[in-house]
Amino acid sequence: MSHNLTYNLAWKKAIIYSSIFLLVSLFIYAAYNKLAIYSTFVEQLNESPITKNYRNILAWLVPGTEILLAIALLVPKTRLLGFYGSFFLMLLFTIYVFVVPHFYSTRIPCSCGGIISSFSWKGHFYFNLAFTLLAAIGLVLHSHQLQTDNAVMKKIAQ
């Protein structure tokens, strides 16, 4: 039984840390690309009917949020907040890449930057959906790990 428990904990931690690595990599990559081509990023935000009225604030808010979430995921004390934020940000991105081609136009450029901007809207949707699920899995497993750690600490304190 102890071996199985250790094995399960090892797998959960591996999944949590893999989720952190992939999300941090995505957010840093995406933020860097948006900031590296800042004027193009603002132009692309302006071409979308959903973002054009908010382009100036989104041009800083989106990459800034991505950087903050990457940091939050790396710091153990803020990791849970980082997972929540990652899930909700990826969910918003996923909804956006679903809504634009279905209710507006497939000719609107993606403002993602880097290799991600070369994806089709459908490919981008599935990519974002995968990262949304990854954030959700990391969130659930990390929350469970925190609850388990708290229960163990309470037993030790007794």
Side-chain angles (χ1 to χ4, degrees):
M1 180 72 175
S2 177
H3 176 70
N4 284 341
L5 181 61
T6 304
Y7 181 75
N8 286 337
L9 289 174
W11 268 105
K12 285 180 184 178
K13 284 189 178 201
I15 293 169
I16 291 168
Y17 287 114
S18 296
S19 299
I20 292 167
F21 174 78
L22 291 169
L23 289 164
V24 167
S25 297
L26 173 66
F27 290 148
I28 295 300
Y29 174 79
Y32 171 79
N33 279 291
K34 289 175 181 101
L35 294 173
I37 57 161
Y38 181 77
S39 59
T40 302
F41 177 50
V42 173
E43 284 177 34
Q44 291 169 335
L45 289 170
N46 192 47
E47 292 182 41
S48 171
I50 296 173
T51 60
K52 71 179 176 183
N53 293 332
Y54 310 102
R55 69 186 172 277
N56 292 326
I57 191 162
L58 289 174
W60 289 105
L61 184 63
V62 172
T65 300
E66 290 169 336
I67 292 167
L68 288 174
L69 287 174
I71 293 167
L73 286 166
L74 292 171
V75 176
K77 289 187 182 224
T78 59
R79 189 164 289 151
L80 185 61
L81 179 64
F83 272 122
Y84 272 110
S86 298
F87 172 75
F88 286 112
L89 185 64
M90 289 309 304
L91 184 62
L92 283 173
F93 289 164
T94 303
I95 291 168
Y96 178 81
V97 299
F98 178 81
V99 167
V100 168
H102 286 91
F103 296 98
Y104 295 100
S105 171
T106 56
R107 293 186 201 162
I108 295 171
C110 173
S111 53
C112 300
I115 191 81
I116 299 167
S117 64
S118 67
F119 291 177
S120 68
W121 284 103
K122 187 176 182 178
H124 201 145
F125 173 77
Y126 288 118
F127 178 85
N128 283 7
L129 187 61
F131 273 88
T132 303
L133 293 173
L134 182 69
I137 290 166
L139 173 62
V140 168
L141 291 178
H142 184 64
S143 295
H144 185 261
Q145 179 185 347
L146 289 175
Q147 290 171 353
T148 303
D149 291 350
N150 286 338
V152 168
M153 292 305 287
K154 283 181 183 177
K155 283 187 178 186
I156 290 172
Q158 291 176 348

